Every structure is written in structure tokens, then in C-alpha cells.
Amino acid sequence: MQSRNWKRIVIKVGSALIAPNNSGCSSHYLLSIAQFIVRVRSMGIDVVLVSSGSVAAGAHLFPNDTKSNIATKKAMAAAGQTEMMSTWDKLFDFPTAQILLTHGDLRDRERYVSIKDTIFTLLDNGILPILNENDTVTTDKLKVGDNDNLSAMIASAADADVLLICSDVDGLYDKNPHTHDDAKLLSLVSNIDESIYAMAGSATSDVGTGGMKTKIQAAEKAVSHGIDTFILNGFSELPFNMLLQGKNPGTHFKPHETPMQEHLHWMTHTSSAEGEVVVGDSFDSPLDAQSKELTSEEILAVNGNFSVGDTILVRKDDGTKLAKAKSNYSSCLLSFIAGQNDKKFANALQHRTGPIISDKNIALLEEQ
């Protein structure tokens, strides 16, 4: 691992490893992961742990509830989080810290930077950050939904060199290895495209929320930020020993040679669009620094309610997504100038107020 020159690792551990039998937390599968973390830290490499498992850990405390409605799952998360943290804490002889967050925290730039600062401060003081989605308070609007994608967002925020996503299989196969004996493991993925996503099956764990698809989504987020990403079998000690020997333990997703800039990566993969600006299907400006500015007469519609500084989606009328960008106008003002028949008035207002979106705050999207 020293030959790789890694300085910081993010490890994602799922619910099936934390509470495999729905009877509370178990250290059975966590010991090898903890030993790996100890050895890595002894080599001078920072570690950040993203750990699912609060709901699974607390489920056994609600034996009479068979419906597991949303309120009960939130209660399970509240009860199970302390048990999960206690289990991790007992495996280390150094201090750990808990960070609970929602997507609402990550997609707000100010809170996102605050999370970064907290992680760096903990690492500077030799404390292991353990992060999880705050299932007790999160809502559909505010949740990431799975810790695979959350781990990729955290890896970006933590300026990690590598993301390790623990799975119940050895990596990405060309078909489901649980149902096909001739399934072949892909040791290296240089480009994540539709053919890679087609290989992903559904979740195979009874207690987890993510399957192989969410792991590929996480890998796509991470590699675009220049982060080496591995999917490996977390139920075995062997993959972690292989990593220590500098070997590939599963499927290695190769990072982009030219990583996306941090603020553009945040806007593309973490920030959520609060609204939309719709342009005509014939709109052909790439919205980059070399293009002309987006003008009011090119706007067909403004959808959603957003304020100055919010992230918005710019798309064509046919649904093609062009870019995510920071809006310099509120939805109210944009709707007003977009509906003006007097272009001179709209252009004068735009000239006085500035561009609708700045070329410094645009994340171009592949047409999708």
C-alpha cells in the first residue's frame, strides 16, 4: 500500500456486516476490518469509516413490530446507533467520533464545508471519524438513501485517495454470481458506462438498502474526483490482507486522469437542484467559459422555487440535461424576465444584475 502513496482511505461497511442475523450488532465480520484499520493507521494513512447498520442493529429491540413502518424504523435507528458505535469503539484502542448527517447537510455548501473541517480536525488529532446517515430524523427529501453513495460523497469531502466499498461478493461480476456458476469477476473497470450498469443486480442482503447498482453509482462519483475505488468482499479477511500486500482484492475502478474540480464535483454529484431553467430544444450553447451567456430570451420556463445562490438544473424542453449551476437570480425574478415581451427591458435588467449563471459555477452534464 505504501507503493500506492495513499494518504487517506474511506471504508464503507454495510448493515449485513454490522448486524448479520437481525439480532443486534456482531463483531464477527468486523474484526478483520478493524485490524485492517489499525494496520493502515500504523502506516501513517488516515482512515474515515462510513458505517451503516443503525436500523439493523436496533431491529431486535422491537420484536413485536412486524410492519416496520417509517416511525418504527426511525426508532430502530435511534436505538441501534448507540449499539453500533459501541461495537466499533470496543474494537479500537484509539478514540472514535460519531458524525450523523443527511443529504440536506451535504448539499448545503456551508454545511458541507463544515463537515469537511470536522473530519480534518478529527484526523489531525488521531481520532477515527465514523459517519452514518441520520436515519432518525431524515426524510425522503433530505436522505441520500444508501451509504454506498454517501461514502463516495464523504470520500470527496475528505479528499480521500481511495474508497473501499465492502460487499457480500468479491467484486463486480458480469452476471449475478449467486445465480450463475459461470459468472466472471471483473478485476478492472476503466470506464463506467451502460454496459457496466447492466451487470448490476438487485440487493442480495436482507438488511441492506443498497445493491451492486448503488456501488457502481458510488464508484462513478468517486473516480470522477480522482479516487481509486474498490468493491471487495467484506465477509472475508483475505481481501484486506491483499490490499496490505499491494494487490487488487476485488474490482478496481480506475480514477479519471483529470479529476473534476472539487466545487464542480460537489455541484454535480452532491448538491441537489432546487429548480429548473428550461431552454429550447435548438439551444446549442455548451454553457462553458467560451460560450455566450445564457440570456433571458432563451429561457422557455422556470420550474420550482429557488433563491439566489441555489443550485439549479439547466435542461432542454425535450428533457435533455445540460448543466447544474449556481443561480444568480431567484426563481421569481427569472420567471419575470423570462416572460417579458420587451427584450430591451430584460436585457437591461440582466446587464445591471449580472449573468443568470456564472461560468465559474457551472458543472456541465453529459447529455442524458
Side-chain angles (χ1 to χ4, degrees):
M1 288 180 61
Q2 292 285 31
S3 63
R4 298 181 187 269
N5 295 318
W6 289 339
K7 296 180 179 179
R8 186 167 299 134
I9 294 175
V10 172
I11 305 174
K12 184 267 175 179
V13 178
S15 299
L17 289 164
I18 300 288
N21 301 314
N22 282 317
S23 57
C25 289
S26 169
S27 61
H28 180 73
Y29 297 116
L30 304 184
L31 283 171
S32 58
I33 299 174
Q35 290 170 355
F36 173 76
I37 292 174
V38 171
R39 293 182 65 182
V40 166
R41 282 170 54 102
S42 70
M43 298 164 64
I45 301 174
D46 291 334
V47 178
V48 177
L49 181 60
V50 177
S51 176
S52 306
S54 60
V55 175
H60 70 105
L61 301 174
F62 300 80
N64 297 323
D65 193 290
T66 58
K67 295 181 180 179
S68 294
N69 55 35
I70 294 177
T72 302
K73 286 185 177 180
K74 290 179 181 294
M76 289 176 180
Q81 183 66 29
T82 54
E83 183 176 342
M84 186 189 76
M85 284 298 300
S86 177
T87 300
W88 279 119
D89 197 55
K90 291 175 182 177
L91 295 174
F92 303 114
D93 59 357
F94 46 78
T96 63
Q98 173 182 258
I99 302 177
L100 294 174
L101 43 78
T102 69
H103 196 203
D105 299 314
L106 290 167
R107 71 191 189 199
D108 180 275
R109 186 64 185 177
E110 185 174 351
R111 281 183 279 172
Y112 178 83
V113 172
S114 178
I115 293 168
K116 287 171 64 77
D117 292 342
T118 300
I119 292 173
F120 294 150
T121 303
L122 289 169
L123 293 173
D124 288 343
N125 287 275
I127 302 171
L128 173 67
I130 303 178
L131 295 95
N132 190 15
E133 185 156 22
N134 194 346
D135 293 319
T136 299
V137 302
T138 192
T139 63
D140 287 342
K141 184 178 180 180
L142 296 177
K143 70 181 181 181
V144 177
D146 68 271
N147 271 12
D148 293 323
N149 279 287
L150 176 64
S151 69
M153 297 176 189
I154 296 303
S156 175
D159 293 336
D161 302 293
V162 62
L163 170 62
L164 305 179
I165 303 176
C166 296
S167 180
D168 61 345
V169 292
D170 293 336
L172 175 64
Y173 287 80
D174 59 355
K175 59 185 73 173
N176 191 336
H178 294 287
T179 56
H180 296 83
D181 294 334
D182 60 341
K184 295 181 180 179
L185 177 68
L186 278 68
S187 60
L188 178 65
V189 175
S190 300
N191 181 45
I192 300 175
D193 54 22
E194 292 182 1
S195 66
I196 297 299
Y197 275 104
M199 299 177 188
S202 58
T204 57
S205 165
D206 293 331
V207 295
T209 57
M212 189 55 68
K213 181 178 179 180
T214 59
K215 291 172 176 57
I216 296 174
Q217 290 172 343
E220 186 172 19
K221 287 180 173 65
V223 298
S224 68
H225 196 50
I227 301 171
D228 275 296
T229 303
F230 293 85
I231 297 177
L232 53 90
N233 194 330
F235 289 82
S236 171
E237 184 179 356
L238 178 61
F240 300 102
N241 291 333
M242 291 178 65
L243 275 170
L244 291 168
Q245 296 166 9
K247 298 178 181 178
N248 181 359
T251 299
H252 176 204
F253 293 84
K254 188 176 180 180
H256 292 185
E257 292 184 2
T258 305
M260 189 179 294
Q261 294 181 9
E262 191 275 336
H263 74 286
L264 295 180
H265 187 276
W266 171 82
M267 187 174 293
T268 302
H269 295 295
T270 302
S271 177
S272 293
E274 299 297 320
E276 295 180 337
V277 169
V278 183
V279 297
D281 293 345
S282 60
F283 184 84
D284 59 359
S285 170
L287 289 172
D288 58 20
Q290 285 73 42
S291 70
K292 60 184 178 63
E293 295 175 353
L294 176 65
T295 59
S296 57
E297 56 262 36
E298 293 167 325
I299 299 175
L300 298 183
V302 178
N303 300 326
N305 296 313
F306 52 87
S307 304
V308 174
D310 284 347
T311 300
I312 60 172
L313 174 69
V314 181
R315 68 169 177 88
K316 292 184 179 181
D317 197 28
D318 63 5
T320 302
K321 298 176 182 179
L322 299 176
K324 290 174 74 175
K326 176 181 176 181
S327 177
N328 294 326
Y329 287 56
S330 68
S331 55
C332 181
L333 184 55
L334 267 185
S335 297
F336 178 69
I337 64 173
Q340 287 290 327
N341 292 324
D342 185 353
K343 292 183 180 180
K344 292 183 179 180
F345 174 84
N347 290 339
L349 179 62
Q350 193 168 327
H351 177 74
R352 185 183 67 183
T353 309
I356 295 172
I357 51 179
S358 169
D359 56 33
K360 296 181 180 179
N361 293 297
I362 299 174
L364 303 180
L365 302 174
E366 294 182 6
E367 293 194 1
Q368 48 185 297

